[in-house]
Structure formats: structure tokens, C-alpha cells
Amino acid sequence: MTYKTQPEASHFIDGAYVEDTAGTPIKVIYPATGEVIATLHAATPAIIDRALTAAKKAQAGWAAMTGTERGRILRRAADLLRERNHDLSVLETYDTGKPYQETSVADATSGADALEYFGGIAASLTGEHIQLGENWVYTRREALGVCVGIGAWNYPTQIACWKAAPALACGNSMVFKPSETTPLCALKVAEILHEAGLPAGLYNVVQGMGEVGAALVTDRRVDKVSLTGSVPTGRKVYAAAAEGIKHVTMELGGKSPMIVFEDADIENAVSGAILGNFYSSGQVCSNGTRVFVHKAIKEKFLARLTERLGNAVIGDPMDPKTSFGPMVSERQMATVLGYIEKGEAEGARLVCGGKRIDREGFYLEPTVFADVTDGMTIAREEIFGPVMAVLDFEEEDDVMTRANDTEFGLAAGVFTRDLTRAHRVAARFEAGTCFINTYNDAPVEAPFGGSKMSGVGRENSRAAIEHYSQLKSVFVRMDDVEAPF
Ligand code: NAD
């Protein structure tokens, strides 16, 4: 292998790579071959302490800089990410197995968008002036302090940047723990931020499993925790953060509905269903995995979907022509195969796919089940793999009730040519991120996040600023102070 996948060291702390081989070894596996491409070590308590100490020490000086100065560094980092997009995309493909065709347009580029966006608004973050007769109050928008970011394995570069950009723009420091499955890319983000001029200690990366995340969340020096992960992990992290009354952002799982009405443009609806189920081999939190298709067009929809799935180019993720890659790990592949078995056992009709692909690596066929009913396991639980469940419906009211009948509330989509119906349905969806005649767009300018069990808080957009800063009110009296005695 010519590409260097073994990083200089496991952690990046206080502006430099740091190693502590006493930590549990973490083997990084290339999902397309099963080959070990790097070995890192989980953070020991000493490493965790060093990262938090550096973050605490650096934060006040950073917050004291002007927003313009902070923003300039973030925008420079965005430029560097874009300049190095090719190499970063190759690394992201090694880390996750996602095809280069995707990583070259959706990972470092999305991270760069976040750094550019929050770099751009850093200088305009202000408090307000509230006049009260002769007296007045002004508010100061202040940083929270030390933030901890914890990432999932599906979008390692994007998640690292989506958390770093608003946190740093607001004057915070961060200790980021990537998923142990994909630990490589966040280190590159740290390197680039420092190369762009970020003072040492403001963005630190420590590796490790859940225990390292848990140790970070409970540390007294930490003021805010932002997690991207599953609902069960979210519950634990939210509870631990509550113990210390810390701020939280929870970006959790989903089982999102996509409704295709009888008047929909079928070609677009099929495209939306493909994007919302098979991009990143289905490992996307906001995927529309319960596809409700009106009975009148169901067979036509399934026929066209099957035909289009036949065009998927499954193979070497580094080949730019490949459009469908492996699952991130053997474990995730086994989990998804378990769900496919349950789908068949519970009586869903397998329309296509359903099997592991006979080649090295963790490849599964794009899988579609039809005649799925609301109670089936594959319609209730998040699978996080390339498995689409197609359900029938006839009435709008009925499908709305069924679409919302889930503990999750991350995303939802509707395909219809009826303008009023589209907006009525979007208003009735119990979900944080909705789509009309499209699916899974995530521009940095728009808030992203979930309702119900899918999360708390929002990433991206101006809304993220509210989750990485706090207001201080300062009352100023111009006349005498009246006291009762
Ligand atoms: P996971 O919940 O298993 O792990 C997420 C992260 O939390 C990892 O870094 C893990 O090491 C850490 N962790 C585990 N236990 C912890 C603990 N007790 N304390 C602190 N940290 C702990 O999730 P995953 O399997 O890595 O990712 C898949 C999940 O992430 C899916 O449910 C998916 O929907 C969700 N996800 C959500 C979004 C979103 O923006 N809403 C985006 C991507 C992925």
C-alpha cells in the first residue's frame, strides 16, 4: 500500500501528536478487504487528563480574541481541507469503506463548508442592548468553555468539523473522541486546524471506546457535550451530562419515513429512495428507511427501483466508478444480515438483494423488502445498513399516523406534485429535518437535528450558535439605587 494510513501517533493534544502505548490497542480495518491498515491506542487516564488540561488552559485566550481573528483561522482551515480533498477522501475511504465517488464530494468538502460558514459568522456574534428608561441591560454572548465532541463512524471528517466549527467560532475549546471504528480522519482535521493557525490546545483528539467517551463526559472541566451516535448511547451520555448540568447536543438515530403519493414524479421518488437508503451503504442516520408508497403506484415504483438498483456499481471503493461499497465493519454487516433474516421470517417480501456478496470485505447487496407491515422488526428498529422497507398506504390521514408512530423523529420526506399536500404533510411530520420532493440534503446553512428520541439541539446554521454559547445579562443603573432601609 503506497498511501500512509498509520498516523504519526494516536492522539493530537496541545498542538502535537502524542502516543501512550499503555492504552488498549485499536486496530483500524479497511472494510473493503478486512486488512489492518493502522494500529492506534485508546487514551489512558493520563492522556485524557492531558487533553482536558490543554483545552482548559487554551480556551480563555481564544475567547478573548476577536471573532474576526477566530473566523480567519477557521476559513483558512476550510481552504486547506478543500486543497487536500483528494488525500483526505482517500483516507476517509480507508477509514469507512465508503466509495471515493462519495467521499470526494461529501466528507472533507462538507467539513470545509462548516468551517467556512462558522468562520464567516464568527465576527458577527454579538449580544444585544436593552434600554429600560434611563437604565439598560446589555447581553454578552460568551463561550461555554471546554466542549467534548463524540463521533459516530459513518461520517468521521464531517462530524469532526460540524462540531469543531461552531464550537471554535464561539470561543470554546474542544476535545474530540472519534468512533473507535474510524479513528483516522479527525487527526487530519486537528493537523489542518493547527496549520491554519489555531493556537495549541484548542482542538484535541483522543482515541478510545465508550469508556474514554464516558470519562470525558463526567470530567468537571467539561461544560458541554455533543454526541453523534445511537439512541442507547445518547441516553447514557445525556444522563451523565445531566449529573453535572452540562449543555448537550444529541444527534442520534432514526427510522425515518418517506411518503410517495400517487401523483409523485416516480423517477424522482425512486432517486430519493435510493439516496435515502443506499448512499454510504445505508449507513446514514437520517435515511428514509420506511418508504410508504401509494398502492396505486406501488408495483410501478418497485419495478423501476429494482431496475435502477441494477445500475449500482459495486466494487473497489477507490475506483471512482464504484457507487456502492462495503459496510463499515464485519460486526455491522452481521447486524444487518440479522435484520434481513428477521424481515424474511416475519413475512416481508424480498424484492431484491438480501445476501452477503461473495468477495473479500464486508459487502452486502442493496436490499429491498416490500409488503412490510408497521409491526415488523425491520419497520420499527434502526438497521443502519442497505435495507429498504416498502409499505403500502391509501389514505393521507392513515399514512401520517403510521409515519409518526415511532419513537424516533430525525427526518421525514414526501414526494407529491400537490403543493398544498406537500406543505401540510411536512407540517404534520414529527421530525426535525423534512424534505419535499428530495431526500437527505444537508446544507450547512440549514439547521440539522432530530426530535423525539432522535436528539436534542441542532447542528449547522445560526441555530448551532445557540448550542455553543450562552448569554450573560449585565444590568447597568444610571440613577441612584433605592434600598428599603
Ligand atoms: P454508538 O452510539 O455505538 O457510538 C457513538 C460514539 O459514542 C462512539 O464514539 C462511541 O465510542 C461513543 N460511546 C459509546 N458509549 C459511550 C458512553 N457510555 N459514553 C460516551 N461515549 C460513548 O454509534 P455508532 O454505531 O458509532 O454510530 C451509529 C449511530 O449513530 C446510529 O444510530 C446513527 O443513526 C447515529 N448517527 C446519528 C447522526 C445524527 O446526526 N443524528 C449522524 C450519524 C450517525
Side-chain angles (χ1 to χ4, degrees):
M1 185 183 300
T2 50
Y3 194 92
K4 189 172 172 289
T5 42
Q6 176 70 44
E8 210 173 291
S10 300
H11 319 288
F12 193 97
I13 298 173
D14 211 7
Y17 275 101
V18 177
E19 190 55 271
D20 181 352
T21 51
T24 312
I26 299 174
K27 288 196 186 317
V28 188
I29 290 167
Y30 181 35
T33 60
E35 187 186 354
V36 176
I37 55 166
T39 303
L40 280 68
H41 292 92
T44 53
I47 286 285
I48 295 171
D49 183 60
R50 218 165 135 177
L52 289 169
T53 303
K56 182 81 187 161
K57 184 160 158 264
Q59 191 266 325
W62 176 243
M65 282 165 65
T66 66
T68 306
E69 289 167 328
R70 289 198 299 269
R72 192 178 302 137
I73 292 169
L74 300 187
R75 284 184 290 110
R76 216 179 278 143
D79 291 345
L80 289 173
L81 274 165
R82 286 209 183 88
E83 273 167 31
R84 295 179 198 166
N85 185 41
H86 170 73
D87 280 0
L88 293 169
S89 305
V90 170
L91 189 64
E92 179 93 352
T93 292
Y94 275 124
D95 222 0
T96 60
K98 294 189 295 180
Y100 176 83
Q101 191 187 93
E102 287 186 19
T103 54
S104 57
V105 297
D107 293 278
T109 52
S110 159
D113 284 354
L115 288 162
E116 185 171 9
Y117 178 86
F118 288 104
I121 61 175
S124 65
L125 302 177
T126 57
E128 63 176 341
H129 170 98
I130 304 157
Q131 194 70 43
L132 298 165
E134 281 304 299
N135 303 320
W136 43 285
V137 172
Y138 64 92
T139 60
R140 292 165 50 92
R141 184 167 288 283
E142 297 187 343
L144 300 176
V146 176
C147 301
V148 160
I150 301 176
W153 42 255
N154 58 342
Y155 280 81
T157 309
Q158 183 188 84
I159 292 171
C161 293
W162 280 20
K163 297 192 190 309
L168 294 171
C170 292
N172 302 284
S173 59
M174 178 164 271
V175 177
F176 184 76
K177 190 200 83 65
S179 163
E180 58 273 33
T181 311
T182 54
L184 303 178
C185 292
L187 292 168
K188 287 285 166 200
V189 172
E191 253 184 58
I192 286 175
L193 280 165
H194 289 81
E195 203 179 322
L198 188 74
L202 291 165
Y203 187 76
N204 309 278
V205 176
V206 298
Q207 308 292 352
M209 296 53 149
E211 324 64 281
V212 173
L216 290 168
V217 173
T218 46
D219 194 280
R220 285 182 56 243
R221 288 165 285 190
V222 172
D223 301 288
K224 194 229 153 90
V225 180
S226 176
L227 168 78
T228 298
S230 60
V231 171
T233 304
R235 237 190 233 115
K236 284 187 222 156
V237 172
Y238 201 172
E243 191 64 30
I245 320 284
K246 296 176 204 265
H247 297 254
V248 293
T249 299
M250 294 282 143
E251 290 288 356
L252 309 177
K255 188 74 196 176
S256 302
M258 182 186 295
I259 305 179
V260 183
F261 282 95
E262 67 279 20
D263 64 346
D265 177 317
I266 296 223
E267 209 55 29
N268 279 335
V270 168
S271 297
I274 289 173
L275 281 175
N277 282 273
F278 302 117
Y279 201 71
S280 299
S281 294
Q283 303 164 117
V284 179
C285 53
S286 48
N287 271 355
T289 47
R290 289 183 295 140
V291 183
F292 292 90
V293 182
H294 194 278
K295 253 192 177 149
I297 57 161
K298 181 180 89 172
E299 290 309 328
K300 202 167 154 196
F301 176 91
L302 286 172
R304 188 62 188 130
L305 175 68
T306 312
E307 203 177 347
R308 295 261 307 266
L309 288 178
N311 300 333
V313 182
I314 305 174
D316 173 7
M318 291 298 172
D319 181 341
K321 289 197 280 306
T322 298
S323 56
F324 186 87
M327 307 297 303
V328 74
S329 63
E330 193 159 16
R331 187 167 147 217
Q332 188 62 15
M333 182 180 67
T335 303
V336 177
L337 277 169
Y339 277 111
I340 292 172
E341 269 172 34
K342 273 197 191 130
E344 290 191 275
E346 290 177 18
R349 167 163 63 105
L350 186 64
V351 175
C352 62
K355 289 192 297 296
R356 182 173 183 180
I357 297 174
D358 184 20
R359 55 172 292 154
E360 62 177 0
F362 316 130
Y363 287 81
L364 280 183
E365 292 173 335
T367 300
V368 177
F369 280 107
D371 305 338
V372 176
T373 53
D374 299 329
M376 290 182 185
T377 309
I378 58 167
R380 302 228 60 85
E381 296 181 14
E382 184 184 45
I383 299 175
F384 224 57
V387 182
M388 183 194 295
V390 177
L391 304 95
D392 310 344
F393 77 95
E394 283 179 293
E395 298 297 329
E396 181 181 320
D397 269 346
D398 169 59
V399 76
M400 285 314 304
T401 307
R402 292 166 60 203
N404 287 331
D405 181 20
T406 165
E407 62 178 4
F408 299 108
L410 189 53
V414 54
F415 280 85
T416 176
R417 286 194 175 95
D418 180 336
L419 189 67
T420 51
R421 174 156 65 191
H423 295 287
R424 186 171 61 235
V425 167
R428 291 179 71 185
F429 275 140
E430 294 171 4
T433 309
C434 296
F435 304 95
I436 296 176
N437 293 333
T438 183
Y439 207 85
N440 262 354
D441 309 59
V444 68
E445 297 85 351
F448 180 84
S451 57
K452 295 158 82 175
M453 299 285 265
S454 292
V456 175
R458 291 294 177 265
E459 292 196 308
N460 288 341
S461 80
R462 288 198 158 262
I465 298 298
E466 298 303 325
H467 301 288
Y468 281 102
S469 62
Q470 59 192 337
L471 291 175
K472 176 186 279 174
S473 296
V474 182
F475 193 103
V476 183
R477 182 171 291 285
M478 304 297 283
D479 49 9
D480 292 333
V481 177
E482 273 182 37
F485 52 85

